[in-house]
Amino acid sequence: MIGKNIILGVTGSIAAYKALDLVVSLRTLGANVQVVMTEAATRFVSVLSFSALSGQQAICNMWEENGLSHITIAQKADIILIAPASASTIARLACGDASDILSAITLAATCPKVVCAAMNDNMYVNTATQANVKTLKSYGFKIVEPAYGRLASGKIGRGRLADASDIIAAVQVAIDEQKDLLGQAIVITAGGTREAIDAVRFISNRSSGKMGFALAQAAWQRGAKVTLISTATPPLELHDKVDITMVDSALEMQKAVQQACLQASAIIMAAAVADYKPVYQEEQKIKKTSEHMTLQLIRTEDIISQVSGCCIKVGFAAETADLLKQAKDKLKNKNLDMIVANDVSGGRVFGSDNTQFVIIKKDGSSHFYEDMSKTEAATVIIEEVAKLLNKEDK
Ligand code: CTP
């Protein structure tokens, strides 16, 4: 669950206090937990308790943020867990009602959803509730049935919120089911190469490596074995998830890519590779002896064009003009399966946390994506890579 963004929906049930323990357990397992409470839930447990334990402000009002916030929250979620889920929340979800913040987020989210029912036993067995549960199952919701035992009324029956361990196990299963890239080895390059001029100077570019790091994270989260070949130091949280080879020059990157691709099912070249390097790399620092200096450069090899075998090849195109034409030419000339093209004019994209891009595939289809974070972009790109890999496997 490390790094997973879990929305924990809490609804108006006497079992709401048990969700406090769930927050702690999920965070201990490494998940980020955003609590979303219905108005009824706030009558049982304070917002403050959930905010304090989750480390972020619990959300309980649709109108507190700007009108789009439920969409933004939904897009970031890896899993929605609703525990406890009351009869009325289940009914709302079953009929697509988006009248409160939790149901609005759930309706907008495309991630897996785990619903842990908890209510009075008569309410649970009621035909209406059972029909709603059946509807949710048919929509793909995972339902954790209530447990048998003493209820708030003092009666013994089926209605208690399931044990925390069963709820966590259901979340884990839902996460594991998303690991559709298990068994796939993906090579990802990141950063801008550095071509030495002399002992202290080099030629490089403005690439930060952020896109490559986000891709590595997204591919790893879907179960792929990831080899990251990078010129820039990846963030700490990536270190234990992926194999990292640090390189400097285009030549070093080329060797590392060739080696890694022997075992790989896909390569994503997000790195900005130098097209030219100095013909000579002076061993000593060059002294300023004259008014002018000419640096003689020679072409580097095109790394991705030289990758052969059954690998899916995905390139990036950084353009300042004629985006579509340039990208389509690169797709063809480099024999790629897919290209992600960025308009980098005016200093856009390079170094930024956000990007806008167009994905073009070998079959000529293309799709534009508006401004989004590189983390979100990585999810979109890996989804497309997964489709290509799945097609290849058939
Ligand atoms: N690329 C590569 N080896 C190189 C140069 C680029 O593998 N020597 C890859 C990049 O990682 C990227 C794609 O090719 O995935 C396109 O890179 P880009 O810099 O946009 O284009 P170039 O081919 O270098 O052409 P130009 O600089 O003329 O636009």
Side-chain angles (χ1 to χ4, degrees):
M1 286 197 203
I2 297 168
K4 290 286 173 194
N5 294 317
I6 299 182
I7 289 182
L8 174 58
V10 185
T11 74
S13 154
I14 190 70
Y17 74 95
K18 294 182 181 172
L20 292 169
D21 274 344
L22 284 174
V23 175
V24 176
S25 303
L26 292 168
R27 289 195 76 197
T28 307
L29 291 168
N32 305 315
V33 183
Q34 170 66 69
V35 176
V36 178
M37 303 171 75
T38 61
E39 203 273 326
T42 64
R43 309 257 170 171
F44 288 91
V45 185
S46 82
V47 179
L48 183 63
S49 303
F50 280 109
S51 301
L53 287 177
S54 66
Q56 46 192 326
Q57 180 66 41
I59 298 168
C60 45
N61 187 338
M62 181 98 100
W63 311 111
E64 267 167 12
E65 329 252 338
N66 69 49
L68 281 178
S69 71
H70 62 286
I71 305 290
T72 317
I73 298 162
Q75 277 170 346
K76 284 195 179 140
D78 294 311
I79 294 275
I80 294 185
L81 166 65
I82 303 181
S86 65
S88 59
T89 290
I90 288 174
R92 256 197 299 280
L93 298 179
C95 65
D97 176 327
S99 57
D100 68 12
I101 183 70
L102 180 59
S103 53
I105 290 171
T106 309
L107 196 62
T110 53
C111 63
K113 294 148 194 168
V114 179
V115 170
C116 309
M119 65 197 75
N120 167 276
D121 56 344
N122 289 340
M123 289 170 84
Y124 190 64
V125 294
N126 186 291
T127 312
T129 305
Q130 285 304 307
N132 289 333
V133 167
K134 198 171 164 200
T135 302
L136 287 187
K137 282 183 183 166
S138 74
Y139 293 163
F141 283 68
K142 311 269 176 219
I143 305 292
V144 178
E145 300 286 336
Y148 187 82
R150 186 171 295 278
L151 306 174
S153 60
K155 232 173 105 184
I156 305 286
R158 184 167 295 282
R160 290 167 61 90
L161 181 66
D163 286 348
S165 57
D166 293 334
I167 294 174
I168 302 279
V171 172
Q172 190 64 60
V173 168
I175 289 173
D176 289 347
E177 279 176 5
Q178 282 188 299
K179 298 205 172 198
D180 57 344
L181 294 181
L182 270 177
Q184 303 284 7
I186 302 185
V187 178
I188 296 170
T189 64
T193 64
R194 306 204 295 193
E195 311 304 325
I197 297 172
D198 65 13
V200 294
R201 303 180 179 98
F202 57 80
I203 302 173
S204 192
N205 56 63
R206 295 183 191 279
S207 171
S208 61
K210 285 177 185 169
M211 192 67 241
F213 301 154
L215 287 164
Q217 166 98 6
W220 173 83
Q221 281 181 340
R222 287 178 75 150
K225 178 182 176 302
V226 178
T227 302
L228 177 66
I229 299 168
S230 178
T231 62
T233 312
L236 265 183
E237 65 266 25
L238 261 183
H239 285 190
D240 53 354
K241 298 175 188 167
V242 301
D243 286 340
I244 299 171
T245 305
M246 295 299 293
V247 294
D248 216 34
S249 64
L251 185 61
E252 282 177 22
M253 184 170 277
Q254 183 183 17
K255 286 181 184 161
V257 165
Q258 275 170 352
Q259 183 62 32
C261 280
L262 294 175
Q263 315 280 338
S265 34
I267 168 145
I268 308 177
M269 278 293 295
V273 186
D275 293 329
Y276 292 91
K277 64 178 180 180
V279 176
Y280 307 107
Q281 285 98 55
E282 301 295 339
E283 275 184 30
Q284 307 300 328
K285 183 182 171 203
I286 301 170
K287 302 307 272 183
K288 52 173 185 296
T289 48
S290 59
E291 208 50 44
H292 297 278
M293 178 193 171
T294 304
L295 203 55
Q296 217 190 337
L297 302 177
I298 183 170
R299 278 276 285 272
T300 56
E301 300 273 3
D302 196 287
I303 302 174
I304 195 150
S305 302
Q306 307 220 339
V307 172
S308 54
C310 59
C311 226
I312 296 286
K313 297 203 290 180
V314 178
F316 272 66
E319 308 296 342
T320 52
D322 244 350
L323 184 68
L324 272 185
K325 181 185 177 315
Q326 297 289 342
K328 281 182 179 166
D329 285 351
K330 282 178 191 173
L331 179 84
K332 188 160 169 263
N333 297 339
K334 294 176 191 247
N335 192 23
L336 306 178
D337 297 279
M338 183 174 119
I339 194 157
V340 183
N342 297 118
D343 176 356
V344 292
S345 59
R348 267 185 288 205
V349 179
F350 271 144
S352 161
D353 287 336
N354 279 35
T355 181
Q356 59 302 102
F357 55 100
V358 50
I359 290 184
I360 308 168
K361 295 203 188 137
K362 211 175 185 172
D363 62 10
S365 60
S366 60
H367 198 292
F368 279 88
Y369 293 87
E370 297 296 336
D371 194 61
M372 63 175 85
S373 73
K374 285 185 176 170
T375 308
E376 288 159 347
T379 310
V380 171
I381 294 164
I382 295 297
E383 172 65 25
E384 294 304 324
V385 173
K387 283 184 200 159
L388 292 175
L389 284 167
N390 289 337
K391 215 190 274 174
E392 192 84 353
D393 285 348
K394 279 178 192 153

